[in-house]
Amino acid sequence: SSDLATLLTLGFDATNVNSPDSGNPTMLKIKRIRALLADRNLAAVARKTSLHVNTVRAIASGLNKNPLPETIKKLSKYLSVR
């Protein structure tokens, strides 16, 4: 329940996930984030998103299966504009 509150605080709207018509920034699903990270330079992604490189690597490899909502938001924003 606190995870849901956190997502709502970040502007996450489950009805608009991946919807281009959403007024909220698009929050990509973790599987989509992993797919988009597969061919990226993870150190560069980490620098551009202000995330630690180990965090990005753990998400890309599937080691981190439940990243923080703020991490998902940063990666979604970065990956959506590229």
Side-chain angles (χ1 to χ4, degrees):
S1 147
S2 69
D3 288 342
L4 177 59
T6 301
L7 289 172
L8 293 173
T9 301
L10 292 172
F12 180 82
D13 183 348
T15 61
N16 290 325
V17 173
N18 296 330
S19 169
D21 298 327
S22 169
N24 297 327
T26 301
M27 297 278 285
L28 299 174
K29 294 181 180 182
I30 192 67
K31 282 184 173 183
R32 181 73 178 134
I33 290 172
R34 282 193 186 104
L36 291 170
L37 288 175
D39 63 346
R40 305 287 174 122
N41 177 324
L42 301 181
V45 172
R47 273 192 307 276
K48 298 285 185 173
T49 58
S50 300
L51 295 170
H52 195 281
V53 68
N54 291 343
T55 299
V56 177
R57 285 185 182 136
I59 292 168
S61 71
L63 185 63
N64 183 343
K65 296 180 186 337
N66 191 22
L68 294 172
E70 185 63 27
T71 301
I72 294 172
K73 183 178 175 183
K74 286 180 179 184
L75 288 170
S76 293
K77 182 177 177 182
Y78 175 80
L79 294 167
S80 293
V81 296
R82 287 176 167 60

